Structure formats: C-alpha cells, structure tokens
Amino acid sequence: MTPTDLQSVRDHIASRIIGQQAFIDSMLVCLLSDGHLLVEGMPGLAKTTAVKALAEALEGDFHRIQFTPDLLPSDLIGTDIYRHDKGEFEFRQGPLFHNLLLADEVNRAPAKVQSALLEAMAEHQITVGQRTYPLPQLFMVLATQNPVEQEGTYHLPEAQLDRFLMQAVVTYPTREEELQILELDGRQQKQNYDPPAKRLSQAELFAMRRAVAELYLDPKLHSYIVDLVQATRQPKLYDKDLGRWCRFGASPRASIALARCARARAWLDGDDFVAPHHIQSVAPEILRHRILLTFEAEAEGITTDAFIKKLLSLVAIP
C-alpha cells in the first residue's frame, strides 16, 4: 500500500470542506497510527462535517453522539437489560461498539461521562459489571470541542486528554476560502452530496498501518523523541522562562505518540524513513493537550503552542 491509495479519502473530504489541510492531515495521521483525535475550534468551522466526510470514505460502522450535560455513562457504554422470557440479564451494546465514533462537543458533558471513555480509548474494551467486552479492531474516537471560554463547557480531565493521540486546532478560514465556502454551499443546495468514489476497506487500512509501523526510525531519533518529552518535564534545564511557564509535562504516552505519528507523517509524505522534521511537524498536536502551563505563563499571554515552539528550538537535533 502507498499514500496514493488514500487519495480517494482525501478527495472526498476536500469535496465537503474548503481548506483546513492541516486538519485533514491530522485525521489521516491519527487514522494510520491507530489513535484518537481531539479537534478544538469555534462553532461553525466544519469540524463535524470533516469527521463525517472521513467516516463516509471508510468501510465501517459510524455513530455520532451529541454530548450534553444530561448524558449518562450508560448512554455510551450500554447497559444490562433484564429479559423476562429468559430470566436473565442481557447486555445491550451502546454507541462505543461502532468503528468510528464522533463525540460531538465532547466537553459539554460532565466528568462522569468522560470517564466512560477512558477504558475504551486506552484498551479497546469495555467492562460492565463482571464482564469485559472487546471493541472492534477498528475503533477510533474523533471528538470535537469548543474552547473552554464558551458557555456551557467543561474542562476535560487530564487522564482523558492523555488518551487522545493528537489535538488539532481549527482556525477561521481566509477571505478567499470563505468565498469558496459560499460557492460550495450554493452547489450543495442544488444537488445531493456525491458519495465517495471508493470506500477504503478495513483490510486496506490495516495494510497501511503495517506499512507505517515498518518505516525506519533511527535509534538516534528515539533519543531525540525522549529528549523532547523529558524537556517538557524539566524545562528549566533548557531555559529559565520555560521553567517558569510549565506546571506539568507530558507523559510517556507522548513519546509513543511522537514515534507513531512521525512514521505516519513520513509515510504520507512518501519518504522511506523518519527524519527530524517529521517529528517536529507532529509535535505541537501531540504535546499541546498534554502540557499544563502555570498561571504566570497565562498572565504573560504565553500559549501552549508558543511554549512548544520555543522548546523545539532549544532541544538539540541529532
């Protein structure tokens, strides 16, 4: 399998949204790395549309859940139903048993609902009572969230944030892109959406994942990845200001994510091995939701992305 085999997926997503190329690349990197994606952006920026377009281009079950404050954990996991005719309880599966799950506005539900996703996202299984149920081999959570400054939003627990492989940030379109959005909307009002030319099968996707996993990653770059993650925990060793700005650094999941996503990025670029620039290109989306800044940094207007950018400039490349 080669990156050109993903072209039909790219083309279908591009037919539904304008621009957002970095966001599309993040979805494909996450898909190839067997991870989950958190997408943050203001309402109306086509986050949900892009995720639905990706699901349409893949072979598998798709389900969307609208997260609300009154949602219950059983609404995600499922529940045991008593069957009078059999005289026993029977488990009725919830939406988590689909291949692709769109958790729309995930940070509008309270923490007890977020906790229902923890085992599923980390271990691809669900435990109800005394029994554990495996999830499908292809299982991916694509969650959208609004900025926490928006009315009715909650902070996601750090334990759940760490289970997202990447966090993509969707920004406003340019003037030219917004003009194209108006033209696309006009065309779509006159005709139905075109189905994808070809749906990517799960067998093809798993073959791509194997090809990504086999891509060469030099041991020196293993050291570079670990140095980057270690630097988020001990930033004062690299810069006095970085030490003041960072409260908590990234977990070992970040090191694993950097290696996986760098391989996927290199494979998408058509390269035969991972280079330092592949690691640096995916680092912001892997680290931004795993780093907690100090109140001092927030008071100085320092963003997580600014912290990561300075960190990347200071950690030596092998």
Side-chain angles (χ1 to χ4, degrees):
M1 305 298 291
T2 65
T4 56
D5 296 306
L6 270 179
Q7 193 58 45
S8 62
V9 178
R10 283 185 180 275
D11 292 343
H12 181 66
I13 299 174
S15 71
R16 297 288 302 275
I17 65 171
I18 300 297
Q20 308 294 2
Q21 190 57 53
F23 174 30
I24 295 173
D25 286 344
S26 297
M27 289 196 294
L28 296 179
V29 167
C30 252
L31 184 68
L32 292 169
S33 305
D34 191 16
H36 310 288
L37 178 64
L38 178 63
V39 188
E40 180 176 315
M42 298 293 285
L45 296 182
K47 301 184 298 296
T48 302
T49 301
V51 172
K52 289 174 68 176
L54 174 64
E56 290 166 357
L58 298 177
E59 177 189 76
D61 298 326
F62 169 73
H63 193 88
R64 171 182 174 176
I65 303 175
Q66 190 66 48
F67 276 60
T68 56
D70 60 347
L71 203 66
L72 298 174
S74 59
D75 295 328
L76 302 180
I77 297 173
T79 187
D80 286 322
I81 303 295
Y82 184 73
R83 296 290 300 272
H84 289 278
D85 55 335
K86 297 181 179 180
E88 61 184 25
F89 284 93
E90 179 180 288
F91 180 63
R92 181 169 294 176
Q93 296 181 350
L96 287 183
F97 285 86
H98 291 79
N99 298 117
L100 295 174
L101 180 71
L102 169 55
D104 204 17
E105 297 184 321
V106 67
N107 62 332
R108 292 189 180 275
K112 66 178 181 180
V113 178
Q114 312 297 345
S115 65
L117 290 169
L118 297 181
E119 182 182 13
M121 294 175 66
E123 302 175 44
H124 282 210
Q125 65 180 31
I126 288 172
T127 301
V128 179
Q130 302 297 317
R131 298 189 62 182
T132 297
Y133 302 91
L135 294 174
Q137 184 179 1
L138 172 58
F139 174 67
M140 183 178 182
V141 176
L142 298 113
T144 68
Q145 72 169 6
N146 299 136
V148 292
E149 294 81 9
Q150 292 278 301
E151 186 71 24
T153 58
Y154 298 82
H155 283 280
L156 293 182
E158 286 78 4
Q160 184 181 351
L161 285 173
D162 201 30
R163 283 164 168 78
F164 283 103
L165 188 71
M166 304 175 75
Q167 180 187 7
V169 175
V170 181
T171 57
Y172 285 114
T174 64
R175 184 178 185 277
E176 292 72 21
E177 289 174 341
E178 197 151 355
L179 286 171
Q180 295 177 48
I181 290 170
L182 289 178
E183 294 174 3
L184 176 63
D185 181 67
R187 293 196 302 270
Q188 291 176 342
Q189 285 184 346
K190 297 176 184 178
Q191 59 187 17
N192 295 327
Y193 292 119
D194 292 328
K198 176 183 177 297
R199 297 186 77 189
L200 186 73
S201 71
Q202 291 189 30
E204 291 173 322
L205 174 59
F206 295 147
M208 291 178 184
R209 287 181 175 178
R210 288 192 294 272
V212 168
E214 292 170 0
L215 210 66
Y216 180 70
L217 179 62
D218 192 276
K220 292 181 180 179
L221 292 185
H222 282 158
S223 297
Y224 179 53
I225 287 172
V226 171
D227 287 344
L228 282 175
V229 177
Q230 289 282 331
T232 67
R233 302 173 198 160
Q234 298 177 311
K236 62 182 179 182
L237 299 180
Y238 292 85
D239 183 82
K240 180 179 66 174
D241 286 334
L242 288 182
R244 290 190 302 108
W245 293 340
C246 187
R247 188 156 43 124
F248 294 109
S251 76
R253 280 198 183 103
S255 299
I256 296 171
L258 280 169
R260 284 187 183 182
C261 294
R263 281 191 170 100
R265 180 70 269 175
W267 188 83
L268 283 172
D269 290 346
D271 295 328
D272 296 326
F273 57 89
V274 178
H277 72 270
H278 294 128
I279 298 171
Q280 293 179 333
S281 67
V282 298
E285 292 169 310
I286 289 170
L287 296 176
R288 66 164 56 109
H289 60 295
R290 292 183 164 95
I291 294 173
L292 289 180
L293 299 182
T294 61
F295 295 114
E296 187 177 0
E298 294 176 5
E300 294 179 21
I302 303 300
T303 64
T304 307
D305 283 358
F307 176 90
I308 296 169
K309 183 177 180 180
K310 186 165 186 177
L311 193 74
L312 289 171
S313 69
L314 293 174
V315 178
I317 299 174

